[in-house]
mmCIF file with all atom_site columns, all heavy atoms in Angstrom:
data_model
loop_
_atom_site.group_PDB
_atom_site.id
_atom_site.type_symbol
_atom_site.label_atom_id
_atom_site.label_alt_id
_atom_site.label_comp_id
_atom_site.label_asym_id
_atom_site.label_entity_id
_atom_site.label_seq_id
_atom_site.pdbx_PDB_ins_code
_atom_site.Cartn_x
_atom_site.Cartn_y
_atom_site.Cartn_z
_atom_site.occupancy
_atom_site.B_iso_or_equiv
_atom_site.pdbx_formal_charge
_atom_site.auth_seq_id
_atom_site.auth_comp_id
_atom_site.auth_asym_id
_atom_site.auth_atom_id
_atom_site.pdbx_PDB_model_num
ATOM 1   N N   . PRO A 1 277 ? 33.709 30.165 -64.444 1.00 0.00 ? 277 PRO A N   1
ATOM 2   C CA  . PRO A 1 277 ? 32.473 30.163 -65.226 1.00 0.00 ? 277 PRO A CA  1
ATOM 3   C C   . PRO A 1 277 ? 32.654 30.716 -66.640 1.00 0.00 ? 277 PRO A C   1
ATOM 4   O O   . PRO A 1 277 ? 31.897 30.378 -67.553 1.00 0.00 ? 277 PRO A O   1
ATOM 5   C CB  . PRO A 1 277 ? 31.513 31.043 -64.421 1.00 0.00 ? 277 PRO A CB  1
ATOM 6   C CG  . PRO A 1 277 ? 32.319 31.715 -63.375 1.00 0.00 ? 277 PRO A CG  1
ATOM 7   C CD  . PRO A 1 277 ? 33.623 30.981 -63.233 1.00 0.00 ? 277 PRO A CD  1
ATOM 8   N N   . ALA A 1 278 ? 33.669 31.526 -66.831 1.00 0.00 ? 278 ALA A N   1
ATOM 9   C CA  . ALA A 1 278 ? 33.863 32.124 -68.156 1.00 0.00 ? 278 ALA A CA  1
ATOM 10  C C   . ALA A 1 278 ? 34.540 31.139 -69.113 1.00 0.00 ? 278 ALA A C   1
ATOM 11  O O   . ALA A 1 278 ? 34.173 31.052 -70.280 1.00 0.00 ? 278 ALA A O   1
ATOM 12  C CB  . ALA A 1 278 ? 34.695 33.400 -68.037 1.00 0.00 ? 278 ALA A CB  1
ATOM 13  N N   . THR A 1 279 ? 35.526 30.381 -68.616 1.00 0.00 ? 279 THR A N   1
ATOM 14  C CA  . THR A 1 279 ? 36.315 29.524 -69.521 1.00 0.00 ? 279 THR A CA  1
ATOM 15  C C   . THR A 1 279 ? 36.013 28.039 -69.352 1.00 0.00 ? 279 THR A C   1
ATOM 16  O O   . THR A 1 279 ? 36.384 27.233 -70.204 1.00 0.00 ? 279 THR A O   1
ATOM 17  C CB  . THR A 1 279 ? 37.824 29.716 -69.245 1.00 0.00 ? 279 THR A CB  1
ATOM 18  O OG1 . THR A 1 279 ? 38.076 29.270 -67.894 1.00 0.00 ? 279 THR A OG1 1
ATOM 19  C CG2 . THR A 1 279 ? 38.243 31.162 -69.367 1.00 0.00 ? 279 THR A CG2 1
ATOM 20  N N   . GLY A 1 280 ? 35.393 27.658 -68.251 1.00 0.00 ? 280 GLY A N   1
ATOM 21  C CA  . GLY A 1 280 ? 35.143 26.243 -67.992 1.00 0.00 ? 280 GLY A CA  1
ATOM 22  C C   . GLY A 1 280 ? 36.360 25.517 -67.426 1.00 0.00 ? 280 GLY A C   1
ATOM 23  O O   . GLY A 1 280 ? 36.325 24.318 -67.178 1.00 0.00 ? 280 GLY A O   1
ATOM 24  N N   . GLU A 1 281 ? 37.474 26.240 -67.206 1.00 0.00 ? 281 GLU A N   1
ATOM 25  C CA  . GLU A 1 281 ? 38.688 25.618 -66.659 1.00 0.00 ? 281 GLU A CA  1
ATOM 26  C C   . GLU A 1 281 ? 38.483 25.197 -65.214 1.00 0.00 ? 281 GLU A C   1
ATOM 27  O O   . GLU A 1 281 ? 37.975 25.994 -64.399 1.00 0.00 ? 281 GLU A O   1
ATOM 28  C CB  . GLU A 1 281 ? 39.852 26.621 -66.695 1.00 0.00 ? 281 GLU A CB  1
ATOM 29  C CG  . GLU A 1 281 ? 40.592 26.708 -67.999 1.00 0.00 ? 281 GLU A CG  1
ATOM 30  C CD  . GLU A 1 281 ? 41.029 25.355 -68.544 1.00 0.00 ? 281 GLU A CD  1
ATOM 31  O OE1 . GLU A 1 281 ? 41.767 24.642 -67.834 1.00 0.00 ? 281 GLU A OE1 1
ATOM 32  O OE2 . GLU A 1 281 ? 40.604 24.997 -69.666 1.00 0.00 ? 281 GLU A OE2 1
ATOM 33  N N   . PRO A 1 282 ? 38.903 23.971 -64.845 1.00 0.00 ? 282 PRO A N   1
ATOM 34  C CA  . PRO A 1 282 ? 38.817 23.568 -63.433 1.00 0.00 ? 282 PRO A CA  1
ATOM 35  C C   . PRO A 1 282 ? 39.733 24.435 -62.572 1.00 0.00 ? 282 PRO A C   1
ATOM 36  O O   . PRO A 1 282 ? 40.841 24.779 -62.993 1.00 0.00 ? 282 PRO A O   1
ATOM 37  C CB  . PRO A 1 282 ? 39.323 22.125 -63.440 1.00 0.00 ? 282 PRO A CB  1
ATOM 38  C CG  . PRO A 1 282 ? 39.260 21.676 -64.853 1.00 0.00 ? 282 PRO A CG  1
ATOM 39  C CD  . PRO A 1 282 ? 39.401 22.897 -65.709 1.00 0.00 ? 282 PRO A CD  1
ATOM 40  N N   . LEU A 1 283 ? 39.259 24.796 -61.389 1.00 0.00 ? 283 LEU A N   1
ATOM 41  C CA  . LEU A 1 283 ? 40.049 25.616 -60.473 1.00 0.00 ? 283 LEU A CA  1
ATOM 42  C C   . LEU A 1 283 ? 40.386 24.781 -59.240 1.00 0.00 ? 283 LEU A C   1
ATOM 43  O O   . LEU A 1 283 ? 39.612 23.912 -58.845 1.00 0.00 ? 283 LEU A O   1
ATOM 44  C CB  . LEU A 1 283 ? 39.260 26.859 -60.058 1.00 0.00 ? 283 LEU A CB  1
ATOM 45  C CG  . LEU A 1 283 ? 38.878 27.827 -61.182 1.00 0.00 ? 283 LEU A CG  1
ATOM 46  C CD1 . LEU A 1 283 ? 37.939 28.918 -60.667 1.00 0.00 ? 283 LEU A CD1 1
ATOM 47  C CD2 . LEU A 1 283 ? 40.132 28.449 -61.792 1.00 0.00 ? 283 LEU A CD2 1
ATOM 48  N N   . PRO A 1 284 ? 41.537 25.049 -58.613 1.00 0.00 ? 284 PRO A N   1
ATOM 49  C CA  . PRO A 1 284 ? 41.914 24.265 -57.426 1.00 0.00 ? 284 PRO A CA  1
ATOM 50  C C   . PRO A 1 284 ? 41.014 24.581 -56.229 1.00 0.00 ? 284 PRO A C   1
ATOM 51  O O   . PRO A 1 284 ? 40.419 25.665 -56.173 1.00 0.00 ? 284 PRO A O   1
ATOM 52  C CB  . PRO A 1 284 ? 43.357 24.711 -57.151 1.00 0.00 ? 284 PRO A CB  1
ATOM 53  C CG  . PRO A 1 284 ? 43.503 26.030 -57.841 1.00 0.00 ? 284 PRO A CG  1
ATOM 54  C CD  . PRO A 1 284 ? 42.552 26.048 -58.984 1.00 0.00 ? 284 PRO A CD  1
ATOM 55  N N   . ASP A 1 285 ? 40.935 23.634 -55.299 1.00 0.00 ? 285 ASP A N   1
ATOM 56  C CA  . ASP A 1 285 ? 40.198 23.884 -54.056 1.00 0.00 ? 285 ASP A CA  1
ATOM 57  C C   . ASP A 1 285 ? 40.728 25.167 -53.424 1.00 0.00 ? 285 ASP A C   1
ATOM 58  O O   . ASP A 1 285 ? 41.919 25.470 -53.519 1.00 0.00 ? 285 ASP A O   1
ATOM 59  C CB  . ASP A 1 285 ? 40.398 22.709 -53.075 1.00 0.00 ? 285 ASP A CB  1
ATOM 60  C CG  . ASP A 1 285 ? 39.641 21.459 -53.540 1.00 0.00 ? 285 ASP A CG  1
ATOM 61  O OD1 . ASP A 1 285 ? 38.986 21.514 -54.600 1.00 0.00 ? 285 ASP A OD1 1
ATOM 62  O OD2 . ASP A 1 285 ? 39.705 20.437 -52.828 1.00 0.00 ? 285 ASP A OD2 1
ATOM 63  N N   . GLY A 1 286 ? 39.837 25.907 -52.800 1.00 0.00 ? 286 GLY A N   1
ATOM 64  C CA  . GLY A 1 286 ? 40.257 27.160 -52.177 1.00 0.00 ? 286 GLY A CA  1
ATOM 65  C C   . GLY A 1 286 ? 40.020 28.365 -53.082 1.00 0.00 ? 286 GLY A C   1
ATOM 66  O O   . GLY A 1 286 ? 40.197 29.500 -52.663 1.00 0.00 ? 286 GLY A O   1
ATOM 67  N N   . THR A 1 287 ? 39.633 28.121 -54.330 1.00 0.00 ? 287 THR A N   1
ATOM 68  C CA  . THR A 1 287 ? 39.388 29.224 -55.262 1.00 0.00 ? 287 THR A CA  1
ATOM 69  C C   . THR A 1 287 ? 37.884 29.327 -55.526 1.00 0.00 ? 287 THR A C   1
ATOM 70  O O   . THR A 1 287 ? 37.215 28.317 -55.684 1.00 0.00 ? 287 THR A O   1
ATOM 71  C CB  . THR A 1 287 ? 40.077 28.946 -56.625 1.00 0.00 ? 287 THR A CB  1
ATOM 72  O OG1 . THR A 1 287 ? 41.367 28.426 -56.366 1.00 0.00 ? 287 THR A OG1 1
ATOM 73  C CG2 . THR A 1 287 ? 40.157 30.185 -57.476 1.00 0.00 ? 287 THR A CG2 1
ATOM 74  N N   . GLU A 1 288 ? 37.405 30.569 -55.602 1.00 0.00 ? 288 GLU A N   1
ATOM 75  C CA  . GLU A 1 288 ? 35.973 30.748 -55.845 1.00 0.00 ? 288 GLU A CA  1
ATOM 76  C C   . GLU A 1 288 ? 35.641 30.563 -57.330 1.00 0.00 ? 288 GLU A C   1
ATOM 77  O O   . GLU A 1 288 ? 36.407 30.967 -58.193 1.00 0.00 ? 288 GLU A O   1
ATOM 78  C CB  . GLU A 1 288 ? 35.532 32.144 -55.411 1.00 0.00 ? 288 GLU A CB  1
ATOM 79  C CG  . GLU A 1 288 ? 34.020 32.297 -55.458 1.00 0.00 ? 288 GLU A CG  1
ATOM 80  C CD  . GLU A 1 288 ? 33.556 33.671 -55.007 1.00 0.00 ? 288 GLU A CD  1
ATOM 81  O OE1 . GLU A 1 288 ? 33.635 34.623 -55.809 1.00 0.00 ? 288 GLU A OE1 1
ATOM 82  O OE2 . GLU A 1 288 ? 33.114 33.789 -53.860 1.00 0.00 ? 288 GLU A OE2 1
ATOM 83  N N   . GLY A 1 289 ? 34.520 29.941 -57.595 1.00 0.00 ? 289 GLY A N   1
ATOM 84  C CA  . GLY A 1 289 ? 34.072 29.766 -58.972 1.00 0.00 ? 289 GLY A CA  1
ATOM 85  C C   . GLY A 1 289 ? 32.708 29.110 -58.993 1.00 0.00 ? 289 GLY A C   1
ATOM 86  O O   . GLY A 1 289 ? 32.005 29.080 -57.976 1.00 0.00 ? 289 GLY A O   1
ATOM 87  N N   . GLU A 1 290 ? 32.350 28.574 -60.171 1.00 0.00 ? 290 GLU A N   1
ATOM 88  C CA  . GLU A 1 290 ? 31.042 27.923 -60.301 1.00 0.00 ? 290 GLU A CA  1
ATOM 89  C C   . GLU A 1 290 ? 31.138 26.461 -59.875 1.00 0.00 ? 290 GLU A C   1
ATOM 90  O O   . GLU A 1 290 ? 32.061 25.746 -60.266 1.00 0.00 ? 290 GLU A O   1
ATOM 91  C CB  . GLU A 1 290 ? 30.582 28.004 -61.766 1.00 0.00 ? 290 GLU A CB  1
ATOM 92  C CG  . GLU A 1 290 ? 29.232 27.328 -61.993 1.00 0.00 ? 290 GLU A CG  1
ATOM 93  C CD  . GLU A 1 290 ? 28.776 27.381 -63.458 1.00 0.00 ? 290 GLU A CD  1
ATOM 94  O OE1 . GLU A 1 290 ? 29.343 28.161 -64.265 1.00 0.00 ? 290 GLU A OE1 1
ATOM 95  O OE2 . GLU A 1 290 ? 27.845 26.624 -63.794 1.00 0.00 ? 290 GLU A OE2 1
ATOM 96  N N   . LEU A 1 291 ? 30.176 26.055 -59.084 1.00 0.00 ? 291 LEU A N   1
ATOM 97  C CA  . LEU A 1 291 ? 30.140 24.668 -58.620 1.00 0.00 ? 291 LEU A CA  1
ATOM 98  C C   . LEU A 1 291 ? 29.617 23.769 -59.737 1.00 0.00 ? 291 LEU A C   1
ATOM 99  O O   . LEU A 1 291 ? 28.580 24.048 -60.336 1.00 0.00 ? 291 LEU A O   1
ATOM 100 C CB  . LEU A 1 291 ? 29.236 24.562 -57.387 1.00 0.00 ? 291 LEU A CB  1
ATOM 101 C CG  . LEU A 1 291 ? 29.047 23.172 -56.790 1.00 0.00 ? 291 LEU A CG  1
ATOM 102 C CD1 . LEU A 1 291 ? 30.352 22.644 -56.209 1.00 0.00 ? 291 LEU A CD1 1
ATOM 103 C CD2 . LEU A 1 291 ? 27.971 23.205 -55.696 1.00 0.00 ? 291 LEU A CD2 1
#
Side-chain angles (χ1 to χ4, degrees):
T279 63
E281 276 310 302
L283 298 172
D285 288 0
T287 317
E288 188 179 79
E290 179 181 346
L291 178 66

